[in-house]
Amino acid sequence: MRHVVMLLCLFALAACGGSPKPFAHDPSQISYGRQLRDKVEVSISPPRNMPPEMGERVAAALAIELQSYGIVAAVAPAEAPIAVEGVMSTRDADMSIEIQVDWRIRGKPRTDEPATVKTRAPPEDYAEQAERLVSRIAQQAAPRVATLIGKPPNFIPRAPGQVAAGITIPYEFPPDPAAAPPPEGTVPTSTTTPTPIAAKPAESQVKVLVAQVTGAPSDGNRQLTSGMRRALGSSKLVIVDQAEADAFTVAGTVTMTPIDDRMAKLVVKWIVKDPAGKNVGDIEQSNPVPLAAAKGSWAGFGDIVASAASEGVLELLEKAINKTR
């Protein structure tokens, strides 16, 4: 089975000399995992005071998380009626570091309460701008930012098997790791009573190994690999770090064929294999690109490329899961 996903490319360089960005999101692209929308609803700016590359990755990861809640989001400077921006601050917290991001809607009075997200992490994760830290910041921010823009989530993003079964899990805000623990002996309580069907999450335990992408110039391999991990992880699949007997595999390869001295045909191909190693299908993204842009940093745009492909990957996984029933 073969799916072909065509992406439009964005290569205009900002006057200030920003990094070339190989891919731009095509909002007209059909989505398998959510209802098609006419245009981007929210643009996300990298948080101020955050290291630039980490800020771009957080903005891209948050855009993906918001999309999994049914909100069409993209990284600034995408045009959208709502623009969200954040300000980061850090402080020591025992043996860890607490990273706080105050998210606000641009143009709203500064007296309005921001959507504040606090994430604790080992100092080395922050120093290395680790992928797991970027993902945690985005995952914790998404429901609060959704509420900030007037679309509070009422469900948890679903795995492919849950979508097929029509299951919607009642939403509860994740606990704030910076909040004080409950007094000793206190029995935890919940304000939401889960429905019986939501207590049957067998399909949510689908395991996927995202193999290291190969063939991309610059930092493309790393950005595409981490982007696909985040995109599939936001769909509540279990992303594993090494091959397991019951894990599917998603492998990406990039080829670049010169057209002339300025342009090349860039193809990103994703192959999905079942736990037995049998091909389930593939997704192909292809477009002519300027050589200079493709050799620039893929930060942020690796997430957008992977997110576009992940829709087809989810469909392939869903069909493979249904075959085993």
Side-chain angles (χ1 to χ4, degrees):
M1 178 178 183
R2 183 180 181 86
H3 293 267
V4 179
V5 182
M6 298 298 294
L7 298 180
L8 297 179
C9 296
L10 176 66
F11 293 104
L13 298 181
C16 62
S19 300
K21 297 177 173 64
F23 289 95
H25 180 57
D26 177 2
S28 67
Q29 183 64 51
I30 293 176
S31 165
Y32 298 100
R34 59 182 177 269
Q35 183 180 2
L36 184 65
R37 311 265 177 146
D38 291 332
K39 61 181 181 179
V40 175
E41 300 171 281
V42 183
S43 69
I44 311 293
S45 296
R48 295 198 301 275
N49 303 333
M50 186 174 281
E53 183 180 343
M54 183 178 179
E56 290 184 2
R57 288 159 53 203
V58 166
L62 177 54
I64 292 171
E65 291 291 334
L66 288 173
Q67 288 176 7
S68 71
Y69 286 106
I71 299 169
V72 180
V75 179
E79 292 186 6
I82 300 175
V84 173
E85 55 190 11
V87 178
M88 186 199 76
S89 58
T90 60
R91 60 187 59 85
D92 291 334
D94 298 325
M95 300 297 291
S96 60
I97 184 172
E98 182 181 277
I99 302 155
Q100 177 174 321
V101 181
D102 295 319
W103 298 97
R104 296 179 183 272
I105 297 176
R106 186 181 302 159
K108 290 284 185 179
R110 302 300 295 178
T111 52
D112 285 7
E113 285 294 321
T116 298
V117 179
K118 299 178 182 180
T119 306
R120 287 190 180 182
E124 57 269 23
D125 277 8
Y126 179 73
E128 296 169 5
Q129 302 178 23
E131 297 293 345
R132 58 188 175 187
L133 175 56
V134 169
S135 296
R136 282 178 58 203
I137 292 172
Q139 288 168 1
Q140 290 178 321
R144 290 177 168 84
V145 170
T147 301
L148 179 71
I149 66 176
K151 294 189 175 184
N154 56 12
F155 65 91
I156 295 175
R158 298 166 292 172
Q162 292 171 328
V163 172
I167 298 174
T168 297
I169 302 176
Y171 182 78
E172 291 184 85
F173 277 101
D176 188 341
E184 216 172 295
T186 301
V187 178
T189 59
S190 172
T191 56
T192 304
T193 303
T195 60
I197 194 168
K200 189 179 67 174
E203 294 89 349
S204 65
Q205 295 305 305
V206 176
K207 296 180 181 179
V208 178
L209 168 68
V210 179
Q212 180 70 27
V213 174
T214 59
S218 184
D219 60 350
N221 291 335
R222 178 170 60 86
Q223 299 291 355
L224 287 169
T225 302
S226 59
M228 183 59 76
R229 285 175 62 92
R230 280 193 290 273
L232 297 181
S234 70
S235 296
K236 305 309 173 187
L237 300 175
V238 177
I239 307 300
V240 297
D241 295 323
Q242 57 188 9
E244 296 186 12
D246 56 347
F248 287 83
T249 301
V250 177
T253 57
V254 178
T255 57
M256 207 159 87
T257 306
I259 298 174
D260 53 34
D261 58 351
R262 292 189 314 104
M263 302 291 292
K265 182 181 180 181
L266 189 64
V267 177
V268 183
K269 185 174 182 179
W270 304 90
I271 297 176
V272 180
K273 295 184 179 182
D274 67 14
K278 180 181 177 182
N279 278 13
V280 174
D282 63 79
I283 319 303
E284 188 172 288
Q285 299 162 289
S286 173
N287 223 71
V289 299
L291 286 166
K295 292 177 181 178
S297 176
W298 290 50
F301 284 79
D303 288 275
I304 295 173
V305 173
S307 178
S310 71
E311 301 287 357
V313 170
L314 290 174
E315 186 193 51
L316 291 174
L317 289 171
E318 187 173 330
K319 289 183 177 180
I321 292 165
N322 288 339
K323 280 184 180 180
T324 63
R325 292 178 178 174

